[in-house]
Amino acid sequence: LDGTLLNSEKRVSKKDINCLNGLVENKIPVIIATGRTIKSVKKVTGELTTHYPVITLNGSDIRQNINGRSMMIYYLEKDIIEALFNFSLHALLNSTDYRIKNILVDTGHKLYFLKPHSPCSVEFYNHYDDEPDLLDLSSPPTQPVVSFLFLLTDDSNREAFIKAQKKLLPQNTKVCTFNGWPWIEIG
């Protein structure tokens, strides 16, 4: 959705909704794939009538359709979550080539931020229509975690950070970076 279908108001235009609904009526699959939550997808797509699967949370939650249940949801393994929390504590306490500006932990139902009211956190609020909770690294959330996002300071060495993550995590763990988006996602 973002950077593709959403307009400057972060909504799918009426013209595009009509076009997409026309495709669905002609039995042409319209499958949404996004980093957003299902709640946010419903909010920004308005009257889209697709009955095809919806891929949310960057592939971590695959839904039957826009109003359907999860067919598959992928959570980070407990050892990965523990390693990320330990790494975060270490990185915050020790001066390195990179410094963490904020951390987001997404459980698929709730957001936790190291700094919940910083300007860089606000863009995520509408994904859950809920104020995020404070992330306490020494007492992490007990719910399963879908993804872990890091925001580094502008003067940080992103490549050194990603290299450190890849050493820490099992080889099959996704570490995602996106052009023009400063957050680094693990999940």
Side-chain angles (χ1 to χ4, degrees), residues 76-94 100 103-107 111-114 133-150 161 165 168-169 186:
L76 290 171
E77 295 173 20
K78 287 185 180 198
D79 58 331
I80 292 173
I81 295 167
E82 188 176 306
L84 288 168
F85 278 108
N86 289 336
F87 173 84
S88 299
L89 279 169
H90 176 76
L92 287 167
L93 297 173
N94 299 298
I100 296 172
I103 299 171
L104 179 159
V105 172
D106 187 347
T107 67
L111 294 176
Y112 296 85
F113 281 96
L114 187 63
D133 283 351
L134 177 66
L135 175 63
D136 180 355
L137 292 172
S138 59
S139 178
T142 56
Q143 307 101 308
V145 173
V146 172
S147 62
F148 219 105
L149 286 84
F150 293 92
F161 179 84
Q165 290 298 312
L168 168 77
L169 301 169
I186 297 166

Side-chain angles (χ1 to χ4, degrees), residues 29-129:
V30 173
I31 299 171
I32 296 168
T34 182
R36 291 172 174 265
T37 64
I38 193 66
K39 191 175 203 176
S40 180
V41 170
K42 289 176 185 179
K43 187 180 204 179
V44 300
T45 58
E47 298 180 23
L48 182 63
T49 59
T50 183
H51 53 274
Y52 294 99
V54 177
I55 302 163
T56 64
L57 299 172
N58 290 325
S60 292
D61 186 8
I62 302 171
R63 301 273 175 151
Q64 292 170 323
N65 55 51
I66 217 161
N67 293 308
R69 298 168 57 168
S70 288
M71 295 187 307
M72 299 172 130
I73 190 159
Y74 299 96
Y75 294 107
L76 290 171
E77 295 173 20
K78 287 185 180 198
D79 58 331
I80 292 173
I81 295 167
E82 188 176 306
L84 288 168
F85 278 108
N86 289 336
F87 173 84
S88 299
L89 279 169
H90 176 76
L92 287 167
L93 297 173
N94 299 298
S95 179
T96 60
D97 291 338
Y98 46 85
R99 283 177 296 294
I100 296 172
K101 186 175 183 177
N102 208 344
I103 299 171
L104 179 159
V105 172
D106 187 347
T107 67
H109 301 284
K110 187 73 177 167
L111 294 176
Y112 296 85
F113 281 96
L114 187 63
K115 298 175 185 169
H117 299 290
S118 70
C120 59
S121 304
V122 174
E123 72 178 288
F124 295 96
Y125 289 7
N126 72 349
H127 292 266
Y128 286 94
D129 285 336

